[in-house]
Amino acid sequence: MTLRDDQIERYSRQIMLPHVGGKGQAKLLDGKVLIIGAGGLGSPISLYLAAAGVGKIGIVDSDKVELNNLQRQIVHSTANVGKAKVESAKERLTGLNTDIEVVSYNTRVSSGNILDIIKEYDIVVDGSDNFPTRYLMNDACVLSKKPLSHGGIFRFDGQAMTILPGESACYRCLFPEPPPPGLVPSCQEGGILGAVAGVIGVIQANEVLKYILGIGDLLAGRLLVFNALESSFRTVKVRKNPKCPVCGENPTVTKLIDYQEFCSLRKKKG
Amino acid sequence: MAIKVRIPAPLQKLTQEKAEVEVRGKSVKELIEDLEKNFPGIKDRICDDTGKIRKFINIYVNEEDIRFLQQEATALKDGDEVSIIPAIAGGVK
Ligand SMILES: [Zn+2]
């Protein structure tokens, strides 16, 4: 791939990095990334990937933009309240970078559609806000050997990990099963500062860029734990668990599971 | 001996919103008992009815997951740092 003059100009500040160069930029333009969720995490993830020139970005979300989203979901704008999140995101991302293709999926991922959707992408990014989607995504990525960047936030805590199926631990190696309803804090107890979502989302975007470029050390086999009140980052080791229900020696999860929604408030409010 | 324990956001209600507390114990099991003594109700959140650590919560001694050490019997020494890390759901609707 030969870069056009406007591409060389647009991406000059990353092309000048010895880790990127023209070759790296070509890899990014060739890259195909699927982001599940166009919310607090999906916003910074998609903005940075689009700006960096990731050639094809898929975004999955079934919600509409609400006024109370805008405090953290920075890909959307006030004018787009009421509009489908994926359409709103597509508008902003293609406005930011005319050089890329944005594919919108105005749907909720399920056991029925997820394998089909992730098939044509190089890496999947978890920007979801609930356990059923998170476990579904993990299992689908492990079963189809797709790398997955995981991110989660709760109040002032954040977590991120990169999963390379077959090579590094998956989300179920870390937490074998989702918590049963009632044992996790309800949505009302949540609350989040937009910048906290930003920190984790940007770490995920950085992981994706490194993965495509083939540089640095990914958060594979390591869980990054962020505390926003202390501005502290810690990492803990995450080993591949031989007893993992999906990637272990005797897997019990061999097909996809649609877990029930945990938070009734979410269903109602969407 | 004093062990620093990192408390995750979902459990901080029980620790007066503190993200780090100091407790005593020569093993993870003793540490959980001491946590419960200081912050009643916390054990129930960490362990199930049979006393086993719940499947969506991990405990790390320094950087290591106790599931790959001696589980609840994992020994602790002065200066160890213990982290309780639960699965967190993600964004906020
Ligand atoms: Zn696994």
Side-chain angles (χ1 to χ4, degrees):
Chain A
M1 183 190 288
T2 327
L3 298 175
R4 300 186 312 266
D5 284 352
D6 67 295
Q7 291 176 318
I8 293 170
E9 169 67 15
R10 177 185 284 271
Y11 305 117
S12 58
R13 294 305 186 272
Q14 64 198 40
I15 290 175
M16 64 173 65
L17 286 167
H19 291 79
V20 182
K23 263 194 196 147
Q25 189 59 52
K27 284 186 195 168
L28 293 173
L29 288 165
D30 239 6
K32 298 189 269 300
V33 180
L34 182 75
I35 304 167
I36 300 187
L41 297 171
S43 289
I45 295 166
S46 61
L47 283 165
Y48 273 106
L49 296 184
V54 170
K56 180 172 173 179
I57 299 175
I59 306 181
V60 191
D61 203 308
S62 63
D63 288 341
K64 290 188 169 64
V65 180
E66 291 180 32
L67 191 57
N68 67 38
N69 297 154
L70 299 179
Q71 163 261 7
R72 63 197 178 282
Q73 302 185 11
I74 56 174
V75 77
H76 307 300
S77 62
T78 309
N80 279 347
V81 169
K83 201 169 180 172
K85 279 189 180 175
V86 287
E87 290 313 319
S88 163
K90 184 175 180 171
E91 187 183 301
R92 172 81 176 98
L93 299 173
T94 47
L96 171 64
N97 192 345
T98 45
D99 215 19
I100 59 164
E101 180 192 359
V102 178
V103 184
S104 55
Y105 302 86
N106 191 358
T107 183
R108 200 171 157 79
V109 286
S110 68
S111 61
N113 65 13
I114 190 166
L115 291 172
D116 233 32
I117 296 176
I118 68 177
K119 201 166 56 190
E120 52 187 299
Y121 293 90
D122 303 324
I123 179 168
V124 179
V125 195
D126 176 359
S128 74
D129 61 350
N130 62 85
F131 285 115
T133 306
R134 175 150 304 157
Y135 279 84
L136 179 69
M137 214 182 309
N138 178 73
D139 297 351
C141 286
V142 169
L143 295 175
S144 49
K145 305 208 169 11
K146 284 281 174 209
L148 170 66
S149 159
H150 155 74
I153 43 174
F154 181 76
R155 289 197 186 172
F156 294 101
D157 283 0
Q159 298 178 355
M161 181 169 91
T162 301
I163 295 157
L164 303 174
E167 283 177 52
S168 72
C170 81
Y171 195 67
R172 281 191 194 266
C173 291
L174 181 62
F175 300 114
E177 282 170 22
L183 279 176
V184 283
S186 70
C187 303
Q188 293 104 313
E189 282 181 77
I192 193 80
L193 277 181
V196 177
V199 169
I200 296 299
V202 171
I203 283 170
Q204 290 180 276
N206 187 51
E207 288 289 290
V208 170
L209 295 175
K210 279 159 46 189
Y211 174 78
I212 297 173
L213 292 166
I215 60 171
D217 295 316
L218 297 169
L219 283 170
R222 291 185 292 154
L223 177 73
L224 182 76
V225 181
F226 171 60
N227 181 287
L229 290 177
E230 296 173 347
S231 291
S232 67
F233 287 97
R234 285 154 215 273
T235 50
V236 293
K237 287 184 195 153
V238 185
R239 297 177 190 280
K240 265 180 80 80
N241 184 355
K243 288 186 233 155
C244 174
V246 68
C247 79
E249 284 155 8
N250 296 298
T252 50
V253 178
T254 50
K255 60 180 203 292
L256 299 175
I257 306 166
D258 289 306
Y259 287 102
Q260 287 305 303
E261 187 62 80
F262 299 92
C263 177
S264 51
L265 183 87
R266 189 188 175 280
K267 261 188 187 158
K268 209 166 64 221
K269 283 217 58 195
Chain B
M1 76 188 114
I3 312 277
K4 276 190 187 143
V5 186
R6 304 284 312 168
I7 306 293
L11 299 184
Q12 285 169 13
K13 247 189 191 160
L14 294 161
T15 60
Q16 291 93 45
E17 306 294 330
K18 281 202 280 271
E20 189 170 286
V21 301
E22 274 200 6
V23 295
R24 284 165 192 286
K26 290 194 280 297
S27 67
V28 170
K29 195 178 163 59
E30 288 183 22
L31 174 137
I32 294 172
E33 294 305 332
D34 201 50
L35 269 177
E36 174 66 19
K37 216 166 70 195
N38 290 291
F39 309 107
I42 200 165
K43 188 183 172 186
D44 245 20
R45 299 287 298 274
I46 300 171
C47 304
D48 64 18
D49 300 341
T50 67
K52 284 188 82 176
I53 293 164
R54 295 181 186 277
K55 284 192 172 171
F56 54 91
I57 293 179
N58 290 333
I59 296 184
Y60 297 82
V61 175
N62 303 318
E63 281 194 3
E64 286 288 348
D65 187 336
I66 62 163
R67 291 180 300 161
F68 299 99
L69 298 170
Q70 280 79 49
Q71 313 227 16
E72 286 93 327
T74 303
L76 298 174
K77 57 179 193 314
D78 225 354
D80 276 344
E81 194 174 283
V82 172
S83 302
I84 301 173
I85 302 182
I88 51 177
V92 168
K93 275 288 157 176

